Tab-separated table of all heavy atoms in Angstrom:
chain	number	residue	atom	x	y	z
A	1	HIS	N	10.872	0.018	-0.752
A	1	HIS	CA	9.905	1.060	-1.077
A	1	HIS	C	10.104	1.630	-2.477
A	1	HIS	O	9.214	2.305	-3.011
A	1	HIS	CB	9.999	2.204	-0.057
A	1	HIS	CG	9.607	1.807	1.325
A	1	HIS	ND1	10.211	2.320	2.456
A	1	HIS	CD2	8.669	0.942	1.779
A	1	HIS	CE1	9.670	1.796	3.534
A	1	HIS	NE2	8.729	0.947	3.148
A	2	LEU	N	11.270	1.408	-3.067
A	2	LEU	CA	11.634	2.090	-4.300
A	2	LEU	C	10.791	1.675	-5.501
A	2	LEU	O	10.398	2.531	-6.312
A	2	LEU	CB	13.114	1.868	-4.613
A	2	LEU	CG	14.114	2.439	-3.598
A	2	LEU	CD1	15.539	2.195	-4.070
A	2	LEU	CD2	13.876	3.914	-3.378
A	3	GLU	N	10.505	0.405	-5.648
A	3	GLU	CA	9.788	-0.065	-6.837
A	3	GLU	C	8.424	0.618	-6.958
A	3	GLU	O	8.062	1.129	-8.024
A	3	GLU	CB	9.620	-1.580	-6.789
A	3	GLU	CG	8.910	-2.131	-8.019
A	3	GLU	CD	8.758	-3.645	-7.984
A	3	GLU	OE1	9.238	-4.283	-7.028
A	3	GLU	OE2	8.148	-4.202	-8.935
A	4	GLY	N	7.655	0.640	-5.873
A	4	GLY	CA	6.338	1.252	-5.913
A	4	GLY	C	6.401	2.750	-6.132
A	4	GLY	O	5.590	3.315	-6.879
A	5	LEU	N	7.355	3.412	-5.491
A	5	LEU	CA	7.505	4.855	-5.671
A	5	LEU	C	7.875	5.192	-7.108
A	5	LEU	O	7.381	6.168	-7.677
A	5	LEU	CB	8.566	5.397	-4.706
A	5	LEU	CG	8.174	5.437	-3.227
A	5	LEU	CD1	9.399	5.732	-2.355
A	5	LEU	CD2	7.082	6.479	-2.978
A	6	ALA	N	8.747	4.369	-7.702
A	6	ALA	CA	9.135	4.600	-9.094
A	6	ALA	C	7.929	4.432	-10.023
A	6	ALA	O	7.753	5.200	-10.974
A	6	ALA	CB	10.253	3.637	-9.492
A	7	LYS	N	7.076	3.457	-9.763
A	7	LYS	CA	5.869	3.262	-10.564
A	7	LYS	C	4.933	4.461	-10.426
A	7	LYS	O	4.329	4.905	-11.400
A	7	LYS	CB	5.147	1.978	-10.140
A	7	LYS	CG	5.845	0.701	-10.542
A	7	LYS	CD	5.064	-0.519	-10.085
A	7	LYS	CE	5.750	-1.811	-10.507
A	7	LYS	NZ	5.012	-3.020	-10.035
A	8	LEU	N	4.829	4.991	-9.204
A	8	LEU	CA	3.992	6.160	-8.966
A	8	LEU	C	4.510	7.362	-9.753
A	8	LEU	O	3.733	8.068	-10.416
A	8	LEU	CB	3.962	6.474	-7.471
A	8	LEU	CG	3.268	7.767	-7.050
A	8	LEU	CD1	1.807	7.761	-7.478
A	8	LEU	CD2	3.384	7.961	-5.538
A	9	VAL	N	5.799	7.594	-9.683
A	9	VAL	CA	6.409	8.719	-10.401
A	9	VAL	C	6.176	8.583	-11.908
A	9	VAL	O	5.775	9.541	-12.588
A	9	VAL	CB	7.914	8.817	-10.090
A	9	VAL	CG1	8.588	9.821	-11.023
A	9	VAL	CG2	8.131	9.225	-8.639
A	10	THR	N	6.405	7.396	-12.435
A	10	THR	CA	6.236	7.166	-13.874
A	10	THR	C	4.795	7.412	-14.302
A	10	THR	O	4.541	8.055	-15.338
A	10	THR	CB	6.649	5.726	-14.229
A	10	THR	OG1	8.031	5.539	-13.909
A	10	THR	CG2	6.428	5.452	-15.714
A	11	ALA	N	3.839	6.953	-13.496
A	11	ALA	CA	2.427	7.106	-13.837
A	11	ALA	C	2.009	8.569	-13.843
A	11	ALA	O	1.270	9.018	-14.735
A	11	ALA	CB	1.571	6.310	-12.854
A	12	VAL	N	2.480	9.335	-12.851
A	12	VAL	CA	2.117	10.753	-12.767
A	12	VAL	C	2.763	11.543	-13.905
A	12	VAL	O	2.117	12.366	-14.557
A	12	VAL	CB	2.520	11.332	-11.396
A	12	VAL	CG1	2.455	12.864	-11.401
A	12	VAL	CG2	1.628	10.771	-10.300
A	13	LYS	N	4.037	11.295	-14.163
A	13	LYS	CA	4.729	12.027	-15.222
A	13	LYS	C	4.178	11.686	-16.600
A	13	LYS	O	4.206	12.524	-17.514
A	13	LYS	CB	6.232	11.759	-15.147
A	13	LYS	CG	6.904	12.410	-13.952
A	13	LYS	CD	8.414	12.302	-14.031
A	13	LYS	CE	9.087	13.075	-12.914
A	13	LYS	NZ	10.563	13.038	-13.008
A	14	LYS	N	3.660	10.487	-16.759
A	14	LYS	CA	3.042	10.107	-18.024
A	14	LYS	C	1.853	11.002	-18.333
A	14	LYS	O	1.542	11.265	-19.504
A	14	LYS	CB	2.601	8.645	-17.970
A	14	LYS	CG	2.053	8.116	-19.271
A	14	LYS	CD	1.679	6.643	-19.163
A	14	LYS	CE	1.121	6.103	-20.473
A	14	LYS	NZ	0.744	4.665	-20.361
A	15	GLU	N	1.214	11.500	-17.281
A	15	GLU	CA	0.065	12.405	-17.452
A	15	GLU	C	0.505	13.863	-17.602
A	15	GLU	O	-0.331	14.756	-17.746
A	15	GLU	CB	-0.889	12.270	-16.269
A	15	GLU	CG	-1.446	10.878	-16.065
A	15	GLU	CD	-2.235	10.364	-17.255
A	15	GLU	OE1	-2.814	11.205	-17.988
A	15	GLU	OE2	-2.278	9.138	-17.465
A	16	GLY	N	1.819	14.116	-17.511
A	16	GLY	CA	2.349	15.449	-17.752
A	16	GLY	C	2.564	16.311	-16.521
A	16	GLY	O	2.969	17.471	-16.641
A	17	SER	N	2.302	15.772	-15.333
A	17	SER	CA	2.442	16.562	-14.105
A	17	SER	C	3.815	16.371	-13.482
A	17	SER	O	4.487	15.354	-13.707
A	17	SER	CB	1.366	16.165	-13.088
A	17	SER	OG	0.074	16.434	-13.588
A	18	ALA	N	4.227	17.355	-12.681
A	18	ALA	CA	5.434	17.230	-11.872
A	18	ALA	C	5.062	16.584	-10.541
A	18	ALA	O	3.909	16.635	-10.111
A	18	ALA	CB	6.060	18.599	-11.636
A	19	ILE	N	6.042	15.996	-9.868
A	19	ILE	CA	5.757	15.291	-8.621
A	19	ILE	C	6.921	15.423	-7.646
A	19	ILE	O	8.087	15.334	-8.032
A	19	ILE	CB	5.435	13.801	-8.897
A	19	ILE	CG1	5.057	13.070	-7.599
A	19	ILE	CG2	6.587	13.107	-9.624
A	19	ILE	CD1	4.514	11.661	-7.837
A	20	GLY	N	6.595	15.689	-6.405
A	20	GLY	CA	7.587	15.734	-5.337
A	20	GLY	C	7.076	14.954	-4.145
A	20	GLY	O	5.915	14.527	-4.108
A	21	ILE	N	7.919	14.770	-3.153
A	21	ILE	CA	7.540	13.984	-1.988
A	21	ILE	C	7.972	14.683	-0.708
A	21	ILE	O	9.025	15.332	-0.670
A	21	ILE	CB	8.132	12.555	-2.071
A	21	ILE	CG1	7.503	11.641	-1.025
A	21	ILE	CG2	9.663	12.574	-1.961
A	21	ILE	CD1	7.789	10.160	-1.276
A	22	ARG	N	7.154	14.575	0.310
A	22	ARG	CA	7.424	15.200	1.604
A	22	ARG	C	8.049	14.173	2.538
A	22	ARG	O	7.458	13.133	2.823
A	22	ARG	CB	6.114	15.748	2.193
A	22	ARG	CG	6.291	16.607	3.420
A	22	ARG	CD	4.963	17.265	3.804
A	22	ARG	NE	4.541	18.248	2.800
A	22	ARG	CZ	3.329	18.802	2.777
A	22	ARG	NH1	2.408	18.449	3.666
A	22	ARG	NH2	3.045	19.697	1.846
A	23	LEU	N	9.252	14.463	3.012
A	23	LEU	CA	9.993	13.543	3.879
A	23	LEU	C	9.726	13.883	5.336
A	23	LEU	O	9.907	15.027	5.755
A	23	LEU	CB	11.492	13.633	3.583
A	23	LEU	CG	11.913	13.470	2.117
A	23	LEU	CD1	13.428	13.540	2.002
A	23	LEU	CD2	11.377	12.169	1.528
A	24	SER	N	9.308	12.872	6.107
A	24	SER	CA	8.831	13.137	7.461
A	24	SER	C	9.419	12.191	8.495
A	24	SER	O	9.787	11.051	8.197
A	24	SER	CB	7.303	13.020	7.524
A	24	SER	OG	6.670	13.989	6.732
A	25	HIS	N	9.469	12.698	9.718
A	25	HIS	CA	9.778	11.890	10.897
A	25	HIS	C	8.766	12.305	11.958
A	25	HIS	O	8.658	13.486	12.295
A	25	HIS	CB	11.203	12.164	11.383
A	25	HIS	CG	11.687	11.213	12.442
A	25	HIS	ND1	11.109	11.138	13.703
A	25	HIS	CD2	12.702	10.304	12.438
A	25	HIS	CE1	11.748	10.227	14.418
A	25	HIS	NE2	12.715	9.698	13.670
A	26	ALA	N	8.017	11.348	12.473
A	26	ALA	CA	6.916	11.661	13.398
A	26	ALA	C	7.387	12.169	14.743
A	26	ALA	O	6.613	12.801	15.471
A	26	ALA	CB	6.039	10.422	13.589
A	27	GLY	N	8.641	11.901	15.094
A	27	GLY	CA	9.108	12.322	16.407
A	27	GLY	C	8.303	11.669	17.509
A	27	GLY	O	8.138	10.442	17.535
A	28	ALA	N	7.769	12.476	18.416
A	28	ALA	CA	7.018	11.955	19.563
A	28	ALA	C	5.597	11.559	19.201
A	28	ALA	O	4.903	10.929	20.008
A	28	ALA	CB	6.990	13.003	20.679
A	29	LYS	N	5.131	11.921	18.011
A	29	LYS	CA	3.732	11.699	17.653
A	29	LYS	C	3.543	10.320	17.007
A	29	LYS	O	3.141	10.179	15.858
A	29	LYS	CB	3.236	12.799	16.713
A	29	LYS	CG	1.736	12.925	16.697
A	29	LYS	CD	1.287	14.146	15.929
A	29	LYS	CE	-0.225	14.321	16.011
A	29	LYS	NZ	-0.685	15.518	15.267
A	30	THR	N	3.832	9.281	17.787
A	30	THR	CA	3.670	7.910	17.332
A	30	THR	C	3.627	7.000	18.568
A	30	THR	O	3.560	7.480	19.702
A	30	THR	CB	4.807	7.511	16.369
A	30	THR	OG1	4.536	6.213	15.843
A	30	THR	CG2	6.172	7.522	17.043
A	31	SER	N	3.670	5.712	18.327
A	31	SER	CA	3.645	4.746	19.425
A	31	SER	C	4.659	3.647	19.156
A	31	SER	O	5.083	3.433	18.012
A	31	SER	CB	2.249	4.130	19.559
A	31	SER	OG	1.935	3.352	18.405
A	32	GLU	N	5.027	2.938	20.210
A	32	GLU	CA	5.981	1.839	20.052
A	32	GLU	C	5.419	0.762	19.140
A	32	GLU	O	6.156	0.134	18.367
A	32	GLU	CB	6.340	1.256	21.417
A	32	GLU	CG	7.407	0.176	21.356
A	32	GLU	CD	7.889	-0.258	22.726
A	32	GLU	OE1	7.522	0.384	23.733
A	32	GLU	OE2	8.647	-1.256	22.796
A	33	GLU	N	4.118	0.532	19.210
A	33	GLU	CA	3.497	-0.477	18.361
A	33	GLU	C	3.680	-0.153	16.882
A	33	GLU	O	3.901	-1.044	16.060
A	33	GLU	CB	2.001	-0.571	18.679
A	33	GLU	CG	1.257	-1.597	17.839
A	33	GLU	CD	-0.222	-1.667	18.163
A	33	GLU	OE1	-0.683	-0.883	19.025
A	33	GLU	OE2	-0.927	-2.498	17.545
A	34	VAL	N	3.633	1.124	16.548
A	34	VAL	CA	3.744	1.547	15.149
A	34	VAL	C	5.191	1.677	14.697
A	34	VAL	O	5.549	1.237	13.597
A	34	VAL	CB	3.005	2.886	14.935
A	34	VAL	CG1	3.303	3.458	13.552
A	34	VAL	CG2	1.511	2.697	15.105
A	35	CYS	N	6.031	2.291	15.537
A	35	CYS	CA	7.397	2.598	15.096
A	35	CYS	C	8.445	1.596	15.577
A	35	CYS	O	9.605	1.681	15.171
A	35	CYS	CB	7.786	4.016	15.524
A	35	CYS	SG	8.188	4.216	17.269
A	36	GLY	N	8.053	0.673	16.454
A	36	GLY	CA	8.959	-0.398	16.855
A	36	GLY	C	9.860	-0.100	18.026
A	36	GLY	O	10.658	-0.950	18.427
A	37	GLU	N	9.767	1.102	18.599
A	37	GLU	CA	10.583	1.470	19.744
A	37	GLU	C	9.933	2.631	20.479
A	37	GLU	O	8.913	3.164	20.029
A	37	GLU	CB	11.991	1.866	19.302
A	37	GLU	CG	12.031	3.045	18.341
A	37	GLU	CD	13.443	3.378	17.888
A	37	GLU	OE1	13.900	2.807	16.871
A	37	GLU	OE2	14.082	4.205	18.569
A	38	THR	N	10.517	3.028	21.585
A	38	THR	CA	10.007	4.194	22.292
A	38	THR	C	10.147	5.413	21.396
A	38	THR	O	11.227	5.679	20.871
A	38	THR	CB	10.785	4.436	23.598
A	38	THR	OG1	10.672	3.284	24.437
A	38	THR	CG2	10.239	5.653	24.345
A	39	PRO	N	9.065	6.165	21.173
A	39	PRO	CA	9.167	7.354	20.326
A	39	PRO	C	10.217	8.320	20.850
A	39	PRO	O	10.472	8.389	22.058
A	39	PRO	CB	7.769	7.968	20.408
A	39	PRO	CG	6.877	6.829	20.752
A	39	PRO	CD	7.692	5.937	21.646
């Protein structure tokens, strides 16, 4: 995931803006098909 995120950060900062990211865990709000196991 790092290469794409680094490109995103570089592109946004080139325009002069600051950038942050929200770190998430869906917990029970997902499915086995999506997350690969029992939520």
Side-chain angles (χ1 to χ4, degrees):
H1 295 145
L2 297 182
E3 181 179 358
L5 289 169
K7 288 180 179 179
L8 173 60
V9 170
T10 299
V12 167
K13 289 189 174 183
K14 185 178 180 181
E15 301 300 332
S17 298
I19 183 171
I21 192 166
R22 189 172 293 169
L23 308 182
S24 296
H25 190 295
K29 201 171 184 180
T30 186
S31 66
E32 184 172 351
E33 180 180 2
V34 171
C35 76
E37 60 182 89
T38 301

